[in-house]
Amino acid sequence: FVFMVNGFTKGDWLEAFIFAVSVAVGLTPEMLPMIVTANLAKGAVKMSKKKVVVKDLNAIQNFGAMNILCTDKTGTLTRDKVVLVKSINADGSQDLSRRILRHAFFNSFFSTGIKNLMDKAIVEHVNENGKALDVVVENYSKIDEIPFDFNRRRMSVVVEDKQGKRQIITKGAVEEMVSICSSCELEGKVIPMSDDIRAKALGIVHDMNSQGMRVLAVAQKSFLDKAGEFDVDDENEMVLIGYLAFLDPPKESAKDAIRQLHDAGIEVKVLSGDNDAVVSTIAAQVGIEHKGCITGAVFELMSSQQKRTAVKNNRVFAKLTPHQKTEVIQLLQEQDNTVGFLGDGINDAAALRQSDIGISVDTAVDIAKESADIILLEKDLMVLEEGVLAGRETFGNIIKYVKMTASSNFGNMFSVLAASAFLPFLPMLSIHLLVQNLLYDISQIAIPFDKMDREFLLQPRKWDSSDLSRFMVFIGPISSIFDITTYLLMWFIFGCQSPEMQTLFQSGWFIEGLLSQTLIVHMIRTQKIPFFQSCAAWPLMIMTFAIMAIGIAIPFTSFGAYIGLMPLPLSYFPWLAVTLLSYCVLTQLIKNWYVRRFGKWL
């Protein structure tokens, strides 16, 4: 369109074509890939200083947009140091004979899978306090193993002593263990499992759970005939021996971290595979207010609508399978949430991939780290909160560039069209447009080093394309107003009304256009009044004002003369100062109205 207008009004079609191409170059945000990549890279470096390693640069945007964080309990809310505190007989008495501990040690010692924290706690406890068991182990050999899975919530090993006695030893979650036991040991005798004994057992366990202790049940059964190939069907008619109680106290920093995440607009939800009483107790201790704990069994029986309501209104979920964790995250995403998930186990891999931002720790299993977008060097929510703020700052700097470039280019389009239609000469030569555009682009290089206002960092931020188009429409034409006043100034005050005076006209608009474009960086970068209520970081301040000084100086140099510019009279600069000041004032007024009308700026 610019080509056609200048071709018909000026008559020089070749010059009109070159000018149109230059306008197209000027209107194209050619620095966008570089600015975005530089912002992300700078953000990744800054986050690494906060002990947050970014595996996928594109994840930084989601990190800043995250408004719900789903996390496991162990190691995140707790100290990640599980200690075996006591072993208890089925009737609640202390295990003085250490029989329960011995069977649990066999189960943990002979298992070949990845040992969880409770397995490690059992082995460490025995190594520290029960050296005699080393001799006992030497008298046993492993025959078979039935690995742990998240549906059975238990695992078994089959061992044989030197006399040929073979037995299966099973350890797991209490409810699942009680369901496979037909009898129990009480005072050295094996008696049938009755409803009263079962109720008493569950009561003992509930009391320990309410104190924040995690409890495992231990059972055994002897085999005289079967030689091998044991499977899940062999886990039946077992004898309940007793329980092991573990303590993993909450972290001292967890409560403050959760409060800070809440202040930053992030809701924390606990998705755990542990017992509901333990999870509820720990959640309450770290300040996660909740109406109740939903277990995986209850969640499984809900309708689709009930599940959507449950994940929206509830913060604590317990005894979830890996599939259910993934389902919870998916339901939250369907409700227009940006969901992060923090996990470090094998069972967390699917949830890490489903989440918008998968977060793991450097001590996690390999598949969890492979599935994650972000790796924390410390498994601490405080570290995560600092990383989120760094991510939001990175995202904010990207938004700055996109909005200031889009609005500035949109305004320049109107300015060029108006000048092309009514002036008897080109408002600027092609070389002027290209030099101006180059200088403006150079001034943007420092944007990744800028900072964001504290208010911007307090809320999750999402990319909103509709807001960009609205921003262009309302902010872009402001620059056109003052471009046109500059045309009128050069036309009427300085007499640039003929092709012989076009060099002076072009020099005047070259300086005004460059300075207004560069100033818009400071006007758009903050919702506040620039320079008074919010100042840019020093690299951006130096870069923008250096470019403005260079732009003013160019018409007075031999380079300026070479590209067709000329020195401007000193009387031009008071008019320029008034123009730029008026531009800033009007932009601030429109900015204030825009924020009141639409509730956001960047």
Side-chain angles (χ1 to χ4, degrees):
F1 186 73
V2 170
F3 166 64
M4 296 297 292
V5 169
N6 281 287
F8 282 113
T9 58
K10 313 301 186 295
D12 190 334
W13 288 93
L14 177 60
E15 186 178 59
F17 174 74
I18 296 174
F19 180 75
V21 171
S22 302
V23 170
V25 172
L27 295 179
T28 302
E30 64 274 3
M31 293 287 284
L32 180 60
M34 191 278 284
I35 293 292
V36 170
T37 303
N39 263 300
L40 293 176
K42 178 68 169 57
V45 171
K46 183 172 184 178
M47 291 168 71
S48 69
K49 295 178 181 178
K50 303 291 186 181
K51 300 182 180 180
V52 179
V53 177
V54 180
K55 285 179 56 185
D56 181 5
L57 288 180
N58 294 322
I60 293 179
Q61 176 179 326
N62 286 339
F63 206 36
M66 180 175 66
N67 67 309
I68 291 180
L69 172 65
C70 296
T71 177
D72 194 6
K73 172 183 66 66
T74 304
T76 306
L77 305 180
T78 62
R79 296 179 185 174
D80 206 14
K81 180 60 179 177
V82 175
V83 178
L84 175 60
V85 291
K86 55 185 172 181
S87 54
I88 307 163
N89 294 313
D91 61 357
S93 61
Q94 291 293 318
D95 174 33
L96 299 178
S97 68
R98 307 182 74 206
R99 175 174 166 78
I100 301 168
L101 181 60
R102 183 168 68 251
H103 281 79
F105 179 73
F106 284 170
N107 181 281
S108 298
F109 181 83
F110 284 116
S111 66
T112 56
I114 297 177
K115 289 180 171 55
N116 60 33
L117 292 174
M118 287 181 284
D119 286 321
K120 294 177 181 177
I122 293 170
V123 175
E124 288 177 5
H125 180 84
V126 169
N127 289 338
E128 292 174 2
N129 306 294
K131 296 292 185 181
L133 286 181
D134 293 342
V135 178
V136 176
V137 168
E138 292 176 359
N139 295 323
Y140 284 81
S141 58
K142 177 180 173 181
I143 302 300
D144 205 349
E145 177 178 352
I146 307 173
F148 177 88
D149 67 57
F150 294 99
N151 292 319
R152 290 165 42 246
R153 293 164 56 82
R154 59 180 180 265
M155 69 86 56
S156 302
V157 296
V158 182
V159 297
E160 183 180 74
D161 63 16
K162 291 185 176 181
Q163 286 72 42
K165 179 184 175 182
R166 189 175 291 120
Q167 64 178 322
I168 180 172
I169 302 173
T170 305
K171 175 177 94 278
V174 174
E175 292 183 5
E176 285 74 4
M177 289 293 297
V178 170
S179 67
I180 62 171
C181 291
S182 60
S183 55
C184 69
E185 281 191 16
L186 289 177
E187 299 179 354
K189 298 179 181 179
V190 176
I191 63 174
M193 178 74 75
S194 65
D195 291 339
D196 290 341
I197 295 175
R198 186 176 285 107
K200 183 178 181 180
L202 295 177
I204 293 170
V205 171
H206 185 270
D207 289 341
M208 289 189 288
N209 288 156
S210 63
Q211 299 173 44
M213 286 186 283
R214 302 165 68 179
V215 182
L216 294 180
V218 181
Q220 65 87 28
K221 181 172 66 173
S222 296
F223 289 86
L224 299 179
D225 301 322
K226 191 168 185 177
E229 297 184 0
F230 290 86
D231 56 32
V232 175
D233 293 336
D234 294 307
E235 295 177 332
N236 62 69
E237 302 295 322
M238 300 195 71
V239 179
L240 177 66
I241 305 176
Y243 311 101
L244 298 174
F246 303 83
L247 188 62
D248 185 13
K251 286 182 178 177
E252 295 178 358
S253 63
K255 194 168 188 176
D256 287 339
I258 289 172
R259 177 181 52 79
Q260 290 184 21
L261 286 170
H262 181 268
D263 292 342
I266 299 175
E267 181 182 7
V268 178
K269 294 181 183 286
V270 181
L271 309 185
S272 177
D274 288 341
N275 179 278
D276 52 325
V278 177
V279 176
S280 293
T281 300
I282 296 296
Q285 289 175 346
V286 299
I288 299 179
E289 299 179 1
H290 60 283
K291 301 174 183 178
C293 180
I294 295 180
T295 64
V298 173
F299 186 76
E300 190 68 27
L301 298 176
M302 289 180 176
S303 65
S304 297
Q305 182 57 45
Q306 288 174 327
K307 287 181 177 180
R308 282 191 287 270
T309 303
V311 300
K312 178 181 179 181
N313 298 331
N314 290 270
R315 294 180 176 178
V316 180
F317 299 80
K319 300 183 75 172
L320 294 180
T321 65
H323 172 73
Q324 288 173 331
K325 289 183 181 181
T326 305
E327 187 177 4
V328 170
I329 293 172
Q330 186 174 7
L331 290 170
L332 288 169
Q333 291 171 324
E334 291 174 359
Q335 297 174 30
D336 199 29
N337 295 299
T338 302
V339 184
F341 180 78
L342 174 57
D344 63 352
I346 295 175
N347 57 320
D348 296 324
L352 285 167
R353 290 191 178 276
Q354 175 63 43
S355 61
D356 296 296
I357 177 77
I359 309 163
S360 193
V361 293
D362 64 339
T363 56
V365 298
D366 290 342
I367 190 172
K369 290 191 286 187
E370 183 66 27
S371 302
D373 304 300
I374 300 286
I375 303 293
L376 305 183
L377 299 183
E378 289 184 13
K379 194 174 184 181
D380 193 331
L381 291 180
M382 198 70 77
V383 172
L384 181 64
E385 190 263 348
E386 293 176 349
V388 167
L389 296 183
R392 289 180 185 175
E393 184 169 272
T394 300
F395 178 65
N397 284 332
I398 293 174
I399 292 297
K400 283 179 194 176
Y401 174 78
V402 172
K403 284 194 169 183
M404 65 181 59
T405 301
S407 58
S408 177
N409 289 351
F410 188 65
N412 286 344
M413 179 181 67
F414 288 110
S415 303
V416 169
L417 289 176
S420 299
F422 298 105
L423 291 177
F425 47 81
L426 291 175
M428 272 200 290
L429 300 180
S430 301
I431 187 64
H432 300 160
L433 286 172
L434 296 176
V435 170
Q436 186 187 73
N437 187 60
L438 175 63
L439 291 173
Y440 173 70
D441 286 343
I442 292 174
S443 73
Q444 310 302 297
I445 293 175
I447 287 179
F449 297 90
D450 195 18
K451 56 189 177 181
M452 298 299 301
D453 294 333
R454 178 66 183 175
E455 293 79 1
F456 180 89
L457 301 178
L458 294 180
Q459 293 296 325
R461 302 291 173 176
K462 278 188 175 183
W463 171 254
D464 185 358
S465 57
S466 63
D467 181 62
L468 177 61
S469 59
R470 183 172 60 221
F471 193 93
M472 289 171 55
V473 170
F474 284 102
I475 306 302
I478 299 176
S479 63
S480 298
I481 295 173
F482 293 96
D483 284 339
I484 292 173
T485 61
T486 301
Y487 299 162
L488 297 176
L489 172 71
M490 301 307 296
W491 184 273
F492 290 107
I493 303 300
F494 293 96
C496 301
Q497 301 178 2
S498 63
E500 291 75 19
M501 298 294 292
Q502 66 174 334
T503 302
L504 182 61
F505 183 99
Q506 292 163 352
S507 301
W509 190 35
F510 175 86
I511 292 179
E512 186 276 335
L514 177 60
L515 267 59
S516 62
Q517 272 190 301
T518 308
L519 270 179
I520 199 65
V521 173
H522 296 276
M523 298 303 302
I524 288 181
R525 65 165 295 277
T526 177
Q527 182 176 319
K528 300 177 181 179
I529 300 175
F531 308 115
F532 294 97
Q533 295 179 334
S534 176
C535 285
W538 66 265
L540 185 60
M541 294 277 283
I542 292 174
M543 185 65 75
T544 52
F545 284 108
I547 292 300
M548 291 172 69
I550 291 172
I552 293 173
I554 283 178
F556 295 89
T557 65
S558 56
F559 173 74
Y562 179 76
I563 63 173
L565 297 176
M566 63 177 291
L568 288 152
L570 294 180
S571 58
Y572 166 81
F573 292 97
W575 288 102
L576 175 64
V578 171
T579 298
L580 295 177
L581 180 61
S582 300
Y583 177 45
C584 291
V585 170
L586 180 59
T587 302
Q588 188 64 39
L589 292 174
I590 297 296
K591 182 198 301 184
N592 294 339
W593 171 85
Y594 187 93
V595 172
R596 289 194 303 269
R597 175 69 175 81
F598 301 108
K600 62 182 296 188
W601 179 243
L602 290 177

